[in-house]
Amino acid sequence: MDSNDMRNAKDIKLIESALEGFLPDGGCLEKNLVDAMRYSLMAGGKRIRPRLALEFSRINGGADGEIMPAACALEMIHTYSLIHDDLPCMDDDDMRRGRPSNHKQFGEATALLAGDALLTLAFKTIFSGMNAQNAVRRAKCAEILAEYSGARGMIGGQIIDLESEGRKPELERLEIMDKKKTGCLIKAGCLMGCIGAGVCDGKKLDAAESYGECIGLAFQIVDDILDVTSTTDELGKPVGSDETQKKATYVSLLGTDKCRELVSEMTERALSCLDVFDGDREPLRELALSLAMRSK
Ligand code: GRG
C-alpha cells in the first residue's frame, strides 16, 4: 500500500465508524427497518462522496469532526438512491455492492422504507451532528444537500433517465441526465466540504463545483466503460445492463476510445480547478486521478 492508499483506507474507516454511530438504535419494534438501513449503508462501497467532503474541508483548513456529519449525510442519500434505484419499479437489479440488493434481502416494502428512512436520517444527522455555533454553515450544507439531491438534481436526473426509454439516443440529453443523476451528489460533496470549513469566497466555491462537475462526468464515463469491460464479480453489480436495457451511454454513442480521451480531458480540467486553493492539493489530485483509473 502506498501513502495515498493508506490515507484512503484510513478515511474510509473513519467514515464507516461515523456512519455506524449515526444509525438509530435497532433494539425495538423497528428492528427490521434499521437492519435494512444498516445492510445497505454498511455494505462497503468506495465512499467517494464523503471523502470529497472531507478533502474539500481539509484543503480549506476545516476540522474532520465538524464536516463528518455532513459527509455521512451525503453517503446516506447516495445509499438511499441505490436502494430505490434497484427496486423492480426502477432498474430492477438483484445485486448491489457484491450482495443481494436491499429488496431481495428484505422485501420491496421494507427496502422502500429503508431508503426513505436513510433520506430523512441524512438531514437529522446534519442538524444534530454539526456544531450549532456554526448554524449558518450547517443550514447551508443542508440546503446544498436538498438542492443537489432533489427534483433539480439527482432525482431530476433519474426522471430524465426513466423518460429516455424508447427515445432516440442523444448525447446532449445524456449529458444533462448524467450531470444531474451522477454529478450532483459529487458536486454537493465538494461544496459542502468548503462550506463546512467556512469558505465564502465565490471563486473557491465555483472552483470546487467545477472540479466536482468534471470528475462527476469522468466518473460516469468510466462507469459506462466498466459496464462493457468488467465483470459482475469485480464490480459487485450486474455488468452489461446498459446494453440489455438498451440505454444510451457514452460508450454506445462515442465508442470506448473517445470515452477514454474524454475521461483524461475531464480529469485534467478538474486538476486545474484546484489552483485557487492554498492548502495541500495532493489528496484531491490523487482522488481525481484514481477515479479516472478505477477498475470498480
Ligand atoms: C431512485 C431516488 C432515486 C435516484 C436514482 C443516483 C441514482 C438516481 C441511481 C443510482 C444508480 C446509478 C447507476 C447511478 C449513477 C451514479 C453511479 C455510478 C452510482 C454508483 O456510485 P458508486 O460507484 O457506488 O460510487 P458505491 O457502491 O461505490 O458507493
Side-chain angles (χ1 to χ4, degrees), residues 186-220:
I186 289 180
K187 280 196 283 193
C190 305
L191 280 173
M192 286 159 78
C194 292
I195 297 288
V199 174
C200 307
D201 176 347
K203 254 197 205 151
K204 288 187 177 163
L205 294 174
D206 287 349
E209 182 152 22
S210 300
Y211 171 96
E213 177 135 328
C214 293
I215 62 161
L217 191 53
F219 183 83
Q220 183 58 55

Short mmCIF file of all heavy atoms in Angstrom, two decimals, residues 186-220:
data_model
loop_
_atom_site.label_atom_id
_atom_site.label_comp_id
_atom_site.label_asym_id
_atom_site.label_seq_id
_atom_site.Cartn_x
_atom_site.Cartn_y
_atom_site.Cartn_z
N ILE A 186 -21.89 14.39 -6.34
CA ILE A 186 -20.43 14.57 -6.28
C ILE A 186 -20.11 16.04 -6.06
O ILE A 186 -19.31 16.41 -5.21
CB ILE A 186 -19.80 14.00 -7.58
CG1 ILE A 186 -19.92 12.47 -7.53
CG2 ILE A 186 -18.35 14.45 -7.77
CD1 ILE A 186 -19.36 11.72 -8.71
N LYS A 187 -20.83 16.91 -6.79
CA LYS A 187 -20.64 18.35 -6.60
C LYS A 187 -21.03 18.76 -5.19
O LYS A 187 -20.38 19.60 -4.56
CB LYS A 187 -21.50 19.14 -7.61
CG LYS A 187 -20.88 19.20 -8.97
CD LYS A 187 -21.52 20.26 -9.83
CE LYS A 187 -22.85 19.81 -10.38
NZ LYS A 187 -23.37 20.65 -11.45
N ALA A 188 -22.13 18.17 -4.69
CA ALA A 188 -22.57 18.51 -3.34
C ALA A 188 -21.47 18.22 -2.32
O ALA A 188 -21.24 19.02 -1.40
CB ALA A 188 -23.84 17.74 -2.98
N GLY A 189 -20.77 17.10 -2.48
CA GLY A 189 -19.68 16.76 -1.56
C GLY A 189 -18.60 17.82 -1.57
O GLY A 189 -18.11 18.26 -0.51
N CYS A 190 -18.22 18.27 -2.77
CA CYS A 190 -17.16 19.29 -2.89
C CYS A 190 -17.60 20.59 -2.22
O CYS A 190 -16.85 21.21 -1.45
CB CYS A 190 -16.83 19.54 -4.37
SG CYS A 190 -16.38 18.04 -5.26
N LEU A 191 -18.83 21.01 -2.52
CA LEU A 191 -19.32 22.28 -1.98
C LEU A 191 -19.53 22.22 -0.47
O LEU A 191 -19.18 23.15 0.26
CB LEU A 191 -20.66 22.64 -2.66
CG LEU A 191 -20.53 23.26 -4.03
CD1 LEU A 191 -21.90 23.42 -4.66
CD2 LEU A 191 -19.82 24.62 -3.96
N MET A 192 -20.12 21.13 0.01
CA MET A 192 -20.37 21.02 1.46
C MET A 192 -19.05 21.02 2.23
O MET A 192 -18.96 21.60 3.31
CB MET A 192 -21.16 19.74 1.76
CG MET A 192 -22.62 19.85 1.35
SD MET A 192 -23.39 18.23 1.14
CE MET A 192 -23.69 17.74 2.81
N GLY A 193 -18.03 20.40 1.66
CA GLY A 193 -16.71 20.42 2.32
C GLY A 193 -16.20 21.84 2.48
O GLY A 193 -15.71 22.23 3.55
N CYS A 194 -16.36 22.66 1.44
CA CYS A 194 -15.91 24.06 1.50
C CYS A 194 -16.75 24.84 2.51
O CYS A 194 -16.21 25.54 3.37
CB CYS A 194 -16.04 24.73 0.13
SG CYS A 194 -14.92 24.09 -1.11
N ILE A 195 -18.06 24.70 2.38
CA ILE A 195 -18.96 25.48 3.25
C ILE A 195 -18.75 25.09 4.72
O ILE A 195 -18.70 25.95 5.61
CB ILE A 195 -20.45 25.22 2.86
CG1 ILE A 195 -20.72 25.71 1.43
CG2 ILE A 195 -21.42 25.82 3.86
CD1 ILE A 195 -20.77 27.20 1.25
N GLY A 196 -18.60 23.80 4.98
CA GLY A 196 -18.38 23.33 6.35
C GLY A 196 -17.12 23.91 6.95
O GLY A 196 -17.01 24.08 8.16
N ALA A 197 -16.13 24.23 6.08
CA ALA A 197 -14.88 24.81 6.57
C ALA A 197 -14.95 26.33 6.59
O ALA A 197 -13.94 27.00 6.82
CB ALA A 197 -13.71 24.33 5.70
N GLY A 198 -16.11 26.88 6.28
CA GLY A 198 -16.27 28.34 6.40
C GLY A 198 -15.90 29.13 5.16
O GLY A 198 -15.72 30.35 5.23
N VAL A 199 -15.75 28.47 4.00
CA VAL A 199 -15.38 29.21 2.78
C VAL A 199 -16.57 30.05 2.29
O VAL A 199 -17.68 29.54 2.16
CB VAL A 199 -14.96 28.22 1.65
CG1 VAL A 199 -14.70 28.95 0.34
CG2 VAL A 199 -13.74 27.43 2.08
N CYS A 200 -16.31 31.34 2.05
CA CYS A 200 -17.37 32.22 1.49
C CYS A 200 -16.93 32.75 0.12
O CYS A 200 -17.74 33.30 -0.61
CB CYS A 200 -17.62 33.43 2.38
SG CYS A 200 -17.97 33.02 4.06
N ASP A 201 -15.64 32.62 -0.18
CA ASP A 201 -15.07 33.17 -1.41
C ASP A 201 -15.71 32.47 -2.64
O ASP A 201 -15.55 31.26 -2.84
CB ASP A 201 -13.55 32.90 -1.34
CG ASP A 201 -12.81 33.32 -2.60
OD1 ASP A 201 -13.47 33.59 -3.62
OD2 ASP A 201 -11.57 33.36 -2.56
N GLY A 202 -16.42 33.28 -3.45
CA GLY A 202 -17.14 32.75 -4.60
C GLY A 202 -16.24 32.02 -5.58
O GLY A 202 -16.64 31.01 -6.18
N LYS A 203 -14.99 32.50 -5.72
CA LYS A 203 -14.06 31.87 -6.68
C LYS A 203 -13.74 30.44 -6.25
O LYS A 203 -13.66 29.52 -7.06
CB LYS A 203 -12.75 32.66 -6.70
CG LYS A 203 -12.56 33.50 -7.93
CD LYS A 203 -11.11 33.89 -8.05
CE LYS A 203 -10.99 35.16 -8.84
NZ LYS A 203 -9.84 35.96 -8.47
N LYS A 204 -13.55 30.28 -4.94
CA LYS A 204 -13.22 28.94 -4.44
C LYS A 204 -14.44 28.02 -4.56
O LYS A 204 -14.31 26.84 -4.92
CB LYS A 204 -12.76 29.01 -2.98
CG LYS A 204 -11.37 29.62 -2.85
CD LYS A 204 -10.85 29.55 -1.44
CE LYS A 204 -9.43 30.13 -1.43
NZ LYS A 204 -8.96 30.48 -0.13
N LEU A 205 -15.62 28.56 -4.27
CA LEU A 205 -16.83 27.72 -4.36
C LEU A 205 -17.07 27.31 -5.82
O LEU A 205 -17.40 26.15 -6.10
CB LEU A 205 -18.04 28.46 -3.79
CG LEU A 205 -17.97 28.74 -2.28
CD1 LEU A 205 -19.14 29.60 -1.83
CD2 LEU A 205 -17.93 27.44 -1.47
N ASP A 206 -16.86 28.26 -6.74
CA ASP A 206 -17.02 27.93 -8.17
C ASP A 206 -16.02 26.86 -8.60
O ASP A 206 -16.34 25.94 -9.36
CB ASP A 206 -16.82 29.17 -9.05
CG ASP A 206 -18.01 30.12 -8.94
OD1 ASP A 206 -19.03 29.72 -8.36
OD2 ASP A 206 -17.89 31.27 -9.41
N ALA A 207 -14.77 27.00 -8.10
CA ALA A 207 -13.73 26.04 -8.48
C ALA A 207 -14.07 24.65 -7.94
O ALA A 207 -13.91 23.63 -8.63
CB ALA A 207 -12.37 26.50 -7.96
N ALA A 208 -14.58 24.60 -6.69
CA ALA A 208 -14.95 23.30 -6.10
C ALA A 208 -16.08 22.67 -6.92
O ALA A 208 -16.07 21.47 -7.20
CB ALA A 208 -15.38 23.49 -4.65
N GLU A 209 -17.03 23.50 -7.33
CA GLU A 209 -18.16 22.98 -8.10
C GLU A 209 -17.68 22.48 -9.47
O GLU A 209 -18.11 21.41 -9.94
CB GLU A 209 -19.23 24.07 -8.24
CG GLU A 209 -20.44 23.56 -8.99
CD GLU A 209 -21.74 24.25 -8.62
OE1 GLU A 209 -21.69 25.38 -8.10
OE2 GLU A 209 -22.80 23.65 -8.87
N SER A 210 -16.78 23.25 -10.10
CA SER A 210 -16.28 22.80 -11.42
C SER A 210 -15.47 21.51 -11.32
O SER A 210 -15.57 20.62 -12.17
CB SER A 210 -15.36 23.86 -12.06
OG SER A 210 -16.07 25.04 -12.21
N TYR A 211 -14.66 21.43 -10.25
CA TYR A 211 -13.90 20.19 -10.02
C TYR A 211 -14.89 19.02 -9.94
O TYR A 211 -14.72 17.98 -10.58
CB TYR A 211 -13.09 20.32 -8.72
CG TYR A 211 -12.42 19.05 -8.23
CD1 TYR A 211 -11.08 18.78 -8.52
CD2 TYR A 211 -13.11 18.13 -7.43
CE1 TYR A 211 -10.46 17.62 -8.04
CE2 TYR A 211 -12.51 16.98 -6.95
CZ TYR A 211 -11.18 16.73 -7.25
OH TYR A 211 -10.57 15.58 -6.77
N GLY A 212 -15.97 19.23 -9.15
CA GLY A 212 -16.98 18.17 -8.97
C GLY A 212 -17.65 17.83 -10.29
O GLY A 212 -17.90 16.66 -10.59
N GLU A 213 -17.93 18.85 -11.08
CA GLU A 213 -18.61 18.61 -12.36
C GLU A 213 -17.72 17.77 -13.28
O GLU A 213 -18.18 16.83 -13.93
CB GLU A 213 -18.95 19.95 -13.01
CG GLU A 213 -19.59 19.78 -14.37
CD GLU A 213 -20.80 20.66 -14.56
OE1 GLU A 213 -21.51 20.94 -13.58
OE2 GLU A 213 -21.02 21.06 -15.70
N CYS A 214 -16.42 18.14 -13.32
CA CYS A 214 -15.50 17.41 -14.22
C CYS A 214 -15.28 15.97 -13.75
O CYS A 214 -15.37 15.02 -14.55
CB CYS A 214 -14.15 18.12 -14.30
SG CYS A 214 -14.26 19.71 -15.10
N ILE A 215 -15.03 15.78 -12.43
CA ILE A 215 -14.79 14.38 -12.03
C ILE A 215 -16.10 13.58 -12.08
O ILE A 215 -16.09 12.39 -12.30
CB ILE A 215 -14.09 14.21 -10.65
CG1 ILE A 215 -14.93 14.77 -9.51
CG2 ILE A 215 -12.69 14.76 -10.63
CD1 ILE A 215 -14.48 14.21 -8.16
N GLY A 216 -17.23 14.27 -11.89
CA GLY A 216 -18.53 13.58 -11.98
C GLY A 216 -18.75 13.03 -13.36
O GLY A 216 -19.18 11.87 -13.54
N LEU A 217 -18.42 13.84 -14.38
CA LEU A 217 -18.60 13.39 -15.75
C LEU A 217 -17.62 12.25 -16.06
O LEU A 217 -17.99 11.21 -16.63
CB LEU A 217 -18.41 14.57 -16.71
CG LEU A 217 -18.80 14.34 -18.15
CD1 LEU A 217 -20.23 13.82 -18.26
CD2 LEU A 217 -18.67 15.63 -18.97
N ALA A 218 -16.35 12.46 -15.64
CA ALA A 218 -15.35 11.41 -15.87
C ALA A 218 -15.79 10.12 -15.17
O ALA A 218 -15.69 9.02 -15.73
CB ALA A 218 -13.99 11.86 -15.34
N PHE A 219 -16.31 10.26 -13.95
CA PHE A 219 -16.75 9.09 -13.17
C PHE A 219 -17.83 8.30 -13.91
O PHE A 219 -17.79 7.08 -14.01
CB PHE A 219 -17.29 9.59 -11.83
CG PHE A 219 -17.72 8.51 -10.89
CD1 PHE A 219 -16.80 7.86 -10.09
CD2 PHE A 219 -19.05 8.13 -10.79
CE1 PHE A 219 -17.20 6.85 -9.21
CE2 PHE A 219 -19.46 7.13 -9.93
CZ PHE A 219 -18.53 6.48 -9.13
N GLN A 220 -18.80 9.04 -14.48
CA GLN A 220 -19.90 8.38 -15.19
C GLN A 220 -19.39 7.69 -16.47
O GLN A 220 -19.81 6.59 -16.80
CB GLN A 220 -21.01 9.38 -15.52
CG GLN A 220 -22.21 8.74 -16.19
CD GLN A 220 -22.84 7.64 -15.34
OE1 GLN A 220 -23.20 7.88 -14.19
NE2 GLN A 220 -22.97 6.42 -15.88
#
